[in-house]
Amino acid sequence: MKALNLSTLLPSPQALTVATLPSPTPSSTQYLISIRASACNFFDLLQIRGKYQHQPTLPWVAGSEFSGVVLSCPPGGKYPVGSRVFGASQGAFATRVCADEAALRPVPDGWGFKDAAGLFVTAPTSYAALVTRAQVRAGEWVLVHAGAGGVGLAAIQIAKALGARVVASASTVEKRDVCTRFGADATVDYSDDGWVKVVMAITGGKGVDVVYDPVGLVEKSLSACNWNARVLVVGFAGGKIENMRTNRVLLKNVSIVGIHWGMYAKKEPETVQTTWDGIFKLVKEGKFKGTVFDGEPFKGLKEVGRALEWLEGRKTWGKVVVEIDDEDVGGEKARL
């Protein structure tokens, strides 16, 4: 197979090179997948630099999220050979990968591999945050920070499907337009110091009922909260972990709520299935669509470094996905 194999940590994604390796051998409980598209994430950048909390032992193949076709399945497996699946497993910047059944889901009817490749991380994170943790209700105002990001666009769609009204924040006109295209009722520029006043005006002076924050804007967002608001701590893409004054939490009766989707499989596995059931229901009803960035094509494993560089430089929106091309796999795509 072809893969982006690391024998040493790298300072830049552009240092990634395509290597030819033996095809991986699945264990007795694993699937072997022919990858058709691989999604790029910020944690991929951290991992190739040795700065992520989960670091494989060198050498290893980079990447995690993918979509593709099942080449082999374990006895009694849910997905027979030829099934179209998406999921996550270490080594997704390659033409083949091994994965456990729990890390796979079927590609939704009518979806292509490209959109499906960007679904496994973002959609359940946002669904569990808004439905399970914040329990968003129809008619509420939801503020989605970094609304044009992968989890942000997922959150906008899910909040709208729940009957909420959405204010999305983003730093450029183009990204705010993307938020509107995916259903946001209003947008604000969170790089503008006056964004809180704008949110208060949009909500008629009451403030928002739910804040979805993958950036690290909790403290300032408290000034834009309504009574009994819930603030979701989703991540720290801004690079800063906040220390906040808690008097505003008390005065507005605000709940600060964490969401760590990756731990649900270990701590609360029953919620994983109900979350995916909810997502697939929205997809079937036409209320959730793919969020893949379409402003620049990234085709072939040789393009992964450039795609990651665009992601790091914040030149993109939504999910950045690289399509595996014929040069990578020879005639395998045509045979399956």
Side-chain angles (χ1 to χ4, degrees):
M1 71 171 186
K2 298 290 182 65
L4 300 185
N5 189 56
L6 278 78
S7 57
T8 184
L9 299 176
L10 301 174
S12 165
Q14 288 287 30
L16 290 164
T17 57
V18 181
T20 300
L21 302 175
S23 180
T25 302
S27 72
S28 60
T29 60
Q30 287 184 314
Y31 291 77
L32 179 63
I33 313 296
S34 172
I35 297 178
R36 300 302 178 81
S38 300
C40 299
N41 294 283
F42 278 106
F43 59 75
D44 295 320
L45 287 161
L46 294 175
Q47 196 176 59
I48 67 172
R49 291 171 174 147
K51 297 181 179 180
Y52 193 51
Q53 60 261 40
H54 303 298
Q55 290 292 139
T57 301
L58 291 165
W60 48 270
V61 177
S64 177
E65 270 190 293
F66 62 88
S67 64
V69 177
V70 173
L71 293 177
S72 70
C73 66
K78 183 189 297 185
Y79 306 110
V81 172
S83 297
R84 300 165 71 243
V85 295
F86 67 93
S89 186
Q90 182 67 50
F93 293 152
T95 55
R96 293 187 174 192
V97 70
C98 295
D100 297 325
E101 188 165 284
L104 298 173
R105 292 292 184 279
V107 173
D109 291 340
W111 281 47
F113 288 113
K114 192 173 179 181
D115 277 328
L119 189 58
F120 196 79
V121 172
T122 55
T125 297
S126 296
Y127 191 96
L130 295 171
V131 176
T132 305
R133 299 294 283 152
Q135 299 179 14
V136 171
R137 297 182 291 271
E140 291 189 312
W141 278 104
V142 177
L143 170 60
V144 178
H145 283 306
V151 291
L153 292 178
I156 289 171
Q157 294 183 86
I158 292 164
K160 290 300 296 180
L162 294 171
R165 295 169 289 179
V166 175
V167 181
S169 77
S171 59
T172 68
V173 172
E174 179 194 11
K175 290 182 178 181
R176 292 193 290 277
D177 287 344
V178 170
C179 294
T180 301
R181 180 167 24 127
F182 277 80
D185 298 280
T187 61
V188 295
D189 180 357
Y190 66 75
S191 66
D192 183 334
D193 288 340
W195 68 262
V196 169
K197 291 182 179 179
V198 177
V199 171
M200 294 302 290
I202 291 169
T203 58
K206 292 182 178 180
V208 296
D209 303 289
V210 175
V211 176
Y212 181 96
D213 180 23
V215 179
L217 290 169
V218 171
E219 184 168 16
K220 195 164 186 179
S221 296
L222 290 172
S223 297
C225 283
N226 195 2
W227 171 259
N228 275 337
R230 291 88 74 202
V231 178
L232 290 158
V233 179
V234 185
F236 314 99
K240 178 184 176 183
I241 297 176
E242 296 175 276
N243 294 312
M244 72 189 73
R245 293 171 292 173
T246 54
N247 60 315
R248 294 181 194 172
V249 176
L250 183 152
L251 293 172
K252 290 189 175 182
N253 223 38
V254 172
S255 298
I256 307 294
V257 185
I259 171 66
H260 186 178
W261 172 248
M263 286 299 291
Y264 271 85
K266 182 177 180 180
K267 300 286 189 180
E268 207 173 309
E270 65 279 6
T271 302
V272 174
Q273 187 57 51
T274 58
T275 295
W276 279 111
D277 289 345
I279 292 166
F280 284 125
K281 182 174 183 290
L282 294 183
V283 169
K284 188 174 182 180
E285 293 172 349
K287 296 178 180 178
F288 192 98
K289 61 183 179 180
T291 62
V292 173
F293 173 67
D294 61 8
E296 176 76 6
F298 299 105
K299 292 183 179 292
L301 289 173
K302 63 184 181 297
E303 288 278 80
V304 169
R306 188 169 71 92
L308 286 169
E309 191 173 62
W310 274 55
L311 178 66
E312 186 172 34
R314 302 188 185 281
K315 299 177 183 179
T316 63
W317 50 261
K319 290 291 294 193
V320 178
V321 174
V322 177
E323 293 182 272
I324 304 303
D325 63 12
D326 290 331
E327 182 182 339
D328 292 323
V329 298
E332 184 170 281
K333 286 168 66 175
R335 293 194 299 270
L336 292 172

